[in-house]
């Protein structure tokens, strides 16, 4: 009982902690900023948000209409992370600040429940993990996801979760229960299979082996789990040997599908990754200038080359599922590649409509 009380005391917003810092004035709704011993180097900015659901812009190819982000910033510290540019909205830098200044939406589940209860809510697919990871380290302290999952399931809203965080294993019983109420999809992102490269490029993220074990745990729980082999880094992780190792390991872990996605470099991530490349692999700079000289995404020629290289590997391991197998919504491609499918298992698959209830029995089945 004492341990339970201590764990939950750490989440009280009125708790007097010696680590409390002066507030960050650019964050709206800020309650306090803290540094805690279990997360050295991180500053956690606790806020009370006014909204939880974020509408996806009209015309987007994404197969979901809304997202929920429990955090801003991410302690996984992936050098290539496409979401780095979002920290500029807080007047923070897209490098060290993105990795270490984490905004925590402490009331996100409460606000989400209110929004899902509105008569106007149509129960469309809600995606989590599309910006920053909901299962990064701070989730272990704040436990935001159980409330979010419960709110979505109770409202009849299908949802998906994309993560690199092995903390998702904590919520597998809750996710399995939610899957009995609504369609869900689960995705794990794994990009790098060389230990040194992993430590250099994603120093705060769980190891590739740990994420493979997460995939196995998800499928052992009877849930789907698609894997994003992403991002593939030109000249670093696109060799045949690297891809063979990756696809074989993902198949052995029991993934329900795989999508291979090349690196894209949006503003914010572009500068941070290019700085790393200049220091660590300067000989690759001319190739990256050629590939990314016209924008954030690789040319169609590189995508086609990568697809040809990976296709026989996927076929060999039974992961070459057609787009119509539930892994893709018609007209919905991945950013920078309209032809790419979401991996099977990563999106909630709509269920067949329930049978029509005869009018003379409808009243008998009404329970509320």
């Amino acid at each position: 009982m004492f341990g339970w009380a201590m764990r939950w005391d750490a989440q009280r917003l009125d708790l007097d902690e010696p680590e409390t810092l002066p507030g960050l004035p650019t964050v709206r709704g800020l309650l306090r900023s803290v540094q805690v011993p279990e997360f050295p180097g991180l500053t956690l900015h606790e806020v009370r948000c006014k909204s939880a659901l974020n509408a996806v812009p009209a015309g987007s190819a994404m197969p979901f209409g809304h997202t929920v982000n429990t955090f801003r910033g991410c302690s996984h510290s992936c050098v290539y992370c496409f979401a780095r540019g979002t920290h500029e909205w807080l007047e923070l830098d897209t490098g060290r600040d993105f990795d270490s200044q984490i905004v925590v939406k402490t009331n996100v589940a409460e606000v989400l429940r209110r929004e899902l209860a509105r008569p106007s809510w149509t129960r469309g697919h809600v995606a989590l993990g599309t910006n920053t990871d909901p299962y990064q380290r701070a989730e272990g302290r704040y436990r935001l996801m159980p409330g979010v999952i419960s709110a979505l399931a109770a409202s009849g809203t299908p949802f998906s979760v994309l993560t690199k965080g092995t903390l998702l294993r904590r919520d597998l019983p809750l996710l399995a229960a939610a899957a009995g109420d609504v369609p869900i999809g689960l995705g794990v992102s794994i990009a790098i299979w060389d230990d040194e490269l992993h430590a250099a490029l994603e120093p705060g993220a769980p190891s590739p082996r740990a994420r493979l074990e997460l995939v196995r745990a998800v499928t052992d729980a009877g849930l789907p789990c698609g894997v994003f082999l992403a991002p593939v880094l030109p000249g670093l992780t696109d060799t045949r040997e690297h891809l063979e190792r990756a696809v074989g390991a993902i198949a052995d872990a029991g993934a329900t599908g795989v999508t291979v996605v090349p690196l894209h470099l949006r503003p914010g991530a572009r500068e941070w990754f290019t700085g790393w490349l200049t220091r660590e692999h300067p000989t690759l700079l001319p190739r990256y200038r050629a590939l990314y000289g016209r924008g954030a995404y690789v040319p169609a020629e590189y995508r086609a080359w990568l697809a040809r290289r990976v296709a026989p590997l996927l076929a060999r391991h039974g992961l070459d599922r057609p787009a119509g197998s539930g892994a893709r919504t018609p007209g919905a491609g991945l950013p920078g590649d309209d032809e790419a499918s979401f991996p099977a298992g990563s999106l909630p698959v709509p269920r067949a409509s329930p049978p029509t209830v005869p009018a003379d029995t409808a009243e008998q089945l009404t329970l509320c």
Side-chain angles (χ1 to χ4, degrees):
M1 178 63 73
F2 178 75
W4 180 91
M6 288 291 288
R7 185 172 69 248
W8 284 94
D9 270 351
Q11 298 169 52
R12 283 174 41 205
L13 298 181
D14 61 348
L15 188 65
D16 184 17
E17 290 187 287
E19 298 86 359
T20 300
L21 306 171
L24 187 66
T26 54
V27 178
R28 286 187 295 176
L30 182 71
L31 295 170
R32 65 177 187 173
S33 300
V34 298
Q35 291 176 340
V36 292
E38 61 264 38
F39 303 134
L42 296 187
T43 301
L44 305 171
H45 304 285
E46 298 171 352
V47 304
R48 293 188 67 80
C49 61
K50 292 185 177 180
S51 64
L53 287 167
N54 310 300
V56 174
S60 170
M62 292 296 96
F64 41 81
H66 290 81
T67 64
V68 172
N69 296 303
T70 52
F71 302 104
R72 294 182 68 170
C74 187
S75 59
H76 289 336
S77 305
C78 300
V79 175
Y80 52 74
C81 182
F82 70 88
R84 287 184 173 276
T86 61
H87 244 41
E88 291 182 343
W89 302 341
L90 305 176
E91 299 181 18
L92 296 169
D93 73 56
T94 63
R96 298 292 181 194
D97 284 351
F98 181 84
D99 300 340
S100 62
Q101 305 291 319
I102 310 300
V103 176
V104 184
K105 300 177 182 179
T106 57
N107 64 331
V108 65
E110 172 190 343
V111 173
L112 180 61
R113 281 192 293 270
R114 290 202 303 266
E115 293 177 333
L116 297 174
R118 293 171 179 168
S120 59
W121 177 242
T122 59
R123 296 177 177 82
H125 171 194
V126 172
L128 297 106
T130 60
N131 190 26
T132 55
D133 201 314
Y135 284 105
Q136 59 180 286
R137 280 180 283 173
E139 171 61 17
R141 174 181 173 88
Y142 291 97
R143 298 181 61 89
L144 303 176
M145 281 297 287
V148 169
I149 293 167
S150 297
L152 291 165
S155 71
T157 300
F159 65 93
S160 61
V161 180
L162 173 61
T163 187
K164 294 178 182 177
T166 52
L167 186 57
L168 180 143
R169 296 180 73 155
R170 179 201 68 195
D171 291 342
L172 280 177
L174 184 59
L175 287 163
D181 297 325
V182 296
I184 72 171
L186 297 174
V188 174
S189 175
I190 315 176
I192 298 168
W193 305 85
D194 176 89
D195 289 340
E196 289 187 11
L197 195 57
H198 159 70
L201 278 170
E202 35 187 44
S207 70
R209 179 180 295 275
R211 279 177 266 170
L212 284 174
E213 292 172 354
L214 172 62
V215 173
R216 172 56 67 190
V218 171
T219 56
D220 283 350
L223 296 169
C225 189
V227 170
F228 290 82
L229 183 53
V232 173
L233 306 168
L236 293 170
T237 64
D238 61 355
T239 65
R240 184 171 284 105
E241 294 75 17
H242 192 103
L243 293 169
E244 283 180 347
R245 180 182 175 192
V247 173
I250 291 168
D252 290 344
T256 49
V258 176
T259 290
V260 182
V261 186
L263 173 72
H264 56 268
L265 291 174
R266 298 181 190 174
R270 187 185 191 96
E271 296 81 0
W272 196 239
F273 180 83
T274 301
W276 176 86
L277 196 68
T278 301
R279 294 190 304 273
E280 302 296 331
H281 297 277
T283 59
L284 288 176
L285 283 171
R287 183 176 183 187
Y288 275 77
R289 290 193 187 105
L291 286 172
Y292 297 96
R294 296 184 179 180
Y297 302 103
V298 292
E301 294 80 6
Y302 180 87
R303 294 200 305 270
W305 173 86
L306 183 61
R308 289 194 300 271
R309 169 158 285 193
V310 80
L313 305 178
L314 298 176
R316 185 187 311 161
H317 293 282
L319 292 170
D320 54 340
R321 302 188 180 198
S325 64
R328 180 182 172 91
T329 298
L334 293 170
D337 190 351
D338 291 338
E339 299 303 315
S341 301
F342 281 72
S346 67
L347 299 178
V349 178
R351 295 170 181 167
S353 300
T356 302
V357 179
D360 58 349
T361 61
E363 188 173 348
Q364 301 174 33
L365 300 178
T366 301
L367 302 179
C368 60

